[in-house]
Amino acid sequence: MISPSLLAANFANLEEEMKWFNQSSADWLHIDVMDGVFVPNISFGFPVLKHVARICKKPLDVHLMIVQPEKFVNEVKDLGAYLMNVHYEACPHLHRVVGQIHEAGMKAGVTLNPATPVSVLEDIAADVDLVLLMSVNPGFGGQKFITHTLEKVRELRQLLDRTGSKALIEVDGGVNLETGRQLKEAGVDVLVAGNYIFRAPDPAKACEALSAL
Ligand code: DX5
Ligand code: ZN
């Protein structure tokens, strides 16, 4: 599956962007919320996302790069989000947060930064619907793919099998046709791509090319 990242879209014309997007082969829309604390950048917040949610026809895959994401479970739910991703590094009480996301009727995703080993998921894997591995340090689009992610994907697949988890594996950062192909071979289920899709001369075609991998 492909989840194009809104972060690379033309913010001055989101309505136009959603026109091609809604007709494209994209499966989800990836939404990067940043707070300037957990990551060194600020993107967009709920007042903007409310309008995006209204014009987007595909399920929303919300990636919260913020401290205390549990404070915003209701806001994400009110967007009608399909999936709420929280960072492992931002949640000392991760098991509780995953429960809150499920109680709100959403799928729960847990995200790991590049320096966080997949082994930290051992005791939570069976409770989550998706694991998002960051293949760049979060905060900015257009960064170079960290190759070590490929090993983490294979390791995560083993951990999920061993713990009986049905969680999907998603990877975010520096995804293009080449890294996308390597990731698919390593066993990834969902590819996030920002610049590769939204900054392409023909975004729908770029999305199609990733979908066809
Ligand atoms: C990075 C974000 C990514 C970003 C990916 O902090 O989480 O979703 O938009 O952008 P690309 O695909 O351009 O690396
Ligand atoms: Zn993201």
Side-chain angles (χ1 to χ4, degrees):
M1 292 196 284
I2 308 300
S3 191
S5 172
L6 185 71
L7 192 63
N10 177 4
F11 294 158
N13 207 343
L14 289 174
E15 197 145 20
E16 203 56 37
E17 292 279 39
M18 284 304 111
K19 276 185 197 155
W20 73 258
F21 179 82
N22 286 333
Q23 307 298 321
S24 74
S25 66
D27 297 279
W28 298 344
L29 179 64
H30 186 81
I31 294 185
D32 290 305
V33 179
M34 305 179 188
D35 65 355
V37 179
F38 183 70
V39 290
N41 195 12
I42 296 176
S43 52
F44 32 65
F46 295 103
V48 172
L49 293 177
K50 212 172 63 187
H51 295 284
V52 173
R54 195 170 43 80
I55 55 176
C56 177
K57 302 266 184 291
K58 310 227 181 201
L60 305 181
D61 160 25
V62 179
H63 175 198
L64 296 176
M65 283 161 275
I66 64 173
V67 297
Q68 301 183 315
E70 66 279 3
K71 285 187 179 168
F72 294 96
V73 172
N74 284 331
E75 274 81 355
V76 178
K77 176 195 174 175
D78 289 346
L79 291 178
Y82 172 70
L83 181 102
M84 175 166 163
N85 270 305
V86 297
H87 269 259
Y88 165 84
E89 301 85 0
C91 298
H93 304 289
L94 185 58
H95 185 272
R96 178 185 288 146
V97 182
V98 166
Q100 288 168 335
I101 296 171
H102 282 150
E103 273 166 38
M106 293 178 285
K107 301 281 184 201
V110 172
T111 308
L112 300 186
N113 277 335
T116 305
V118 300
S119 57
V120 300
L121 297 170
E122 193 78 38
D123 293 330
I124 193 81
D127 297 309
V128 303
D129 304 294
L130 177 143
V131 175
L132 171 55
L133 296 179
M134 290 308 303
S135 42
V136 297
N137 286 291
F140 304 92
Q143 301 182 81
K144 194 172 174 288
F145 179 78
I146 298 169
T147 318
H148 178 64
T149 313
L150 295 168
E151 274 165 54
K152 286 177 82 172
V153 170
R154 289 187 277 265
E155 213 184 307
L156 176 57
R157 180 59 71 201
Q158 285 179 6
L159 186 148
L160 296 179
D161 289 347
R162 182 158 35 82
T163 55
S165 172
K166 300 262 182 296
L168 296 174
I169 303 179
E170 182 176 37
V171 171
D172 183 7
V175 171
N176 54 36
L177 216 46
E178 192 191 329
T179 55
R181 187 173 295 121
Q182 293 169 336
L183 286 163
K184 286 286 289 210
E185 276 169 22
V188 167
D189 301 299
V190 188
L191 293 171
V192 176
N195 278 262
Y196 181 74
I197 292 178
F198 279 95
R199 303 286 165 92
D202 185 341
K205 216 168 149 189
C207 186
E208 188 93 34
L210 280 182
S211 297
L213 282 176

